[in-house]
Amino acid sequence: GDSVTQMEGPVTLSEEAFLTINCTYTATGYPSLFWYVQYPGEGLQLLLKATKADDKGSNKGFEATYRKETTSFHLEKGSVQVSDSAVYFCALSDHSGYALNFGKGTSLLVTP
Amino acid sequence: EPEVTQTPSHQVTQMGQEVILRCVPISNHLYFYWYRQILGQKVEFLVSFYNNEISEKSEIFDDQFSVERPDGSNFTLKIRSTKLEDSAMYFCAWHQGEINSPLHFGNGTRLTVT
């Protein structure tokens, strides 16, 4: 079945460092891909999405490109801030039922 | 602020008791979902609900679980006889627009079973 694999956390970075959180997926067909963020004590918020190969999703300085050839959707940000500290979830939807299949999440801690 | 409010924000219950988790209010959304997140683990799909019927459910969603929309507004998840392993955050989710639009999530209900 469909699955999402994220790099293990926690990830600790200094402010203004470059961030990459790896995400790879397995799916039949052409799923839509998402990144969700969960700030401490809050629910999940959609961060960005991509619905087809080579699409680039972007929001709040974060970017991720849908790479069909490597089945990846890595999250990047050029300069992280303390306020980016959160748990980041990669997810896919294969459209057969529109439910999301999540990765295990990657915790990010940004220190001043 | 999310369009949907989940209540309660935290529920503590004894093993074997029934709990009802709610999403309120709902405007004209047609598709709803329940997900759960056991502490430190991934977010897991439980069930999707469309037009007052279950459209999809996972293996987790066994006979102890039920969903309904009793008054056309509130969307509820009932756990008939809670177990310790039901302790988790439970999130209600919905599509902002069409069914192929991204899912949006409520702030969740933290369920603690003792």
Side-chain angles (χ1 to χ4, degrees):
Chain A
D2 296 350
S3 67
V4 176
T5 302
Q6 289 182 236
M7 63 185 288
E8 293 286 331
V11 174
T12 302
L13 294 173
S14 298
E15 205 165 21
E16 300 183 359
F18 184 86
L19 168 71
T20 299
I21 300 179
N22 290 339
C23 171
T24 57
Y25 67 90
T26 58
T28 55
Y30 302 96
S32 291
L33 301 173
F34 306 85
W35 277 101
Y36 281 81
V37 58
Q38 185 179 32
Y39 297 103
E42 298 184 15
L44 295 161
Q45 299 178 25
L46 177 66
L47 182 59
L48 53 84
K49 67 178 176 74
T51 57
K52 61 183 187 296
D54 300 324
D55 267 2
K56 177 185 283 188
S58 61
N59 185 26
K60 299 180 181 180
F62 290 90
E63 292 183 340
T65 301
Y66 189 143
R67 302 283 188 200
K68 181 172 176 290
E69 62 277 13
T70 55
T71 62
S72 65
F73 193 55
H74 303 323
L75 182 69
E76 296 181 336
K77 186 173 185 181
S79 176
V80 293
Q81 305 301 311
V82 172
S83 57
D84 293 326
S85 298
V87 180
Y88 292 82
F89 293 90
C90 186
L92 71 80
S93 170
D94 66 3
H95 309 299
S96 65
Y98 299 99
L100 287 174
N101 192 333
F102 284 88
K104 290 187 176 181
T106 302
S107 175
L108 170 66
L109 175 64
V110 181
T111 58
Chain B
E1 286 295 317
E3 296 178 24
V4 170
T5 300
Q6 288 191 242
T7 62
S9 58
H10 190 191
Q11 171 98 41
V12 180
T13 189
Q14 289 188 326
M15 192 168 54
Q17 296 296 305
E18 175 184 282
V19 295
I20 297 177
L21 312 180
R22 293 183 171 83
C23 276
V24 292
I26 299 285
S27 56
N28 58 349
H29 298 309
L30 296 176
Y31 299 91
F32 310 100
Y33 302 76
W34 282 102
Y35 286 78
R36 79 172 185 189
Q37 184 184 25
I38 296 172
L39 185 64
Q41 299 187 24
K42 65 185 292 186
V43 178
E44 302 173 295
F45 167 72
L46 293 178
V47 65
S48 58
F49 192 78
Y50 167 66
N51 202 24
N52 296 324
E53 290 185 356
I54 291 174
S55 56
E56 188 181 3
K57 61 183 181 179
S58 71
E59 294 177 352
I60 302 168
F61 194 87
D62 60 22
D63 291 343
Q64 295 296 322
F65 292 88
S66 62
V67 290
E68 62 179 11
R69 195 178 182 192
D71 56 5
S73 175
N74 297 350
F75 177 48
T76 64
L77 174 70
K78 182 189 293 185
I79 308 175
R80 186 149 44 93
S81 178
T82 51
K83 304 185 286 291
L84 294 176
E85 53 265 38
D86 293 328
S87 295
M89 282 290 289
Y90 288 82
F91 295 102
C92 173
W94 65 97
H95 291 285
Q96 191 73 21
E98 299 296 321
I99 190 172
N100 57 358
S101 62
L103 277 179
H104 291 257
F105 288 78
N107 283 340
T109 293
R110 178 171 296 285
L111 175 65
T112 303
V113 182
T114 61

